[in-house]
Amino acid sequence: MKNINKSEVLILKNQVSYQAGQVVSKTLAQNDAVSVTLFAFDKGEEISTHESGGDAFVTCLDGVGEITIDGVNYELHEGESIVMPAKHPHAVRGKEQFKMLLVVVF
């Protein structure tokens, strides 16, 4: 793990900040088996359609996000999660300001 305090109770959504007109990311772990990243999307900002080599587990930490998988849109609210399957086209957009935890398992 990196970029995060250890042996301390944390509120994940407070570990990454919104920035106007941007998608902000903070990598917490990265190796051949797993990737753990926090994201903050300003309203309307997005990561365009792409595919991943691993299953991508998304949990909404704050706000409202729109997840598109195989052309189908899903709205994600605080506390809700969805899995974007490996090798399926997907995209993420801040429908409002939106923070998420992304865990990709390869």
Side-chain angles (χ1 to χ4, degrees):
M1 298 291 293
K2 61 182 181 180
N3 300 320
I4 196 163
N5 293 337
K6 298 173 179 76
S7 302
E8 179 181 321
V9 176
L10 302 169
I11 298 172
L12 282 180
K13 69 182 179 181
N14 294 344
Q15 302 304 305
V16 64
S17 300
Y18 294 116
Q19 292 189 24
Q22 294 187 38
V23 176
V24 177
S25 66
K26 184 177 191 179
T27 300
L28 305 182
Q30 181 80 46
N31 61 42
D32 292 341
V34 68
S35 170
V36 180
T37 310
L38 293 170
F39 285 90
F41 292 75
D42 196 20
K43 181 179 181 178
E45 294 301 313
E46 67 180 334
I47 296 173
S48 60
T49 302
H50 63 285
E51 293 181 14
S52 171
D55 289 327
F57 179 78
V58 172
T59 298
C60 177
L61 303 173
D62 186 50
V64 181
E66 183 177 76
I67 309 295
T68 304
I69 304 169
D70 292 324
V72 178
N73 294 334
Y74 302 88
E75 196 169 280
L76 213 58
H77 300 88
E78 186 174 338
E80 296 178 334
S81 300
I82 193 166
V83 175
M84 300 180 293
K87 302 189 186 334
H88 285 256
H90 59 267
V92 181
R93 182 177 73 87
K95 192 163 186 179
E96 300 295 332
Q97 284 190 321
F98 171 58
K99 291 182 182 181
M100 71 179 205
L101 172 66
L102 174 67
V103 179
V104 183
V105 179
F106 298 101

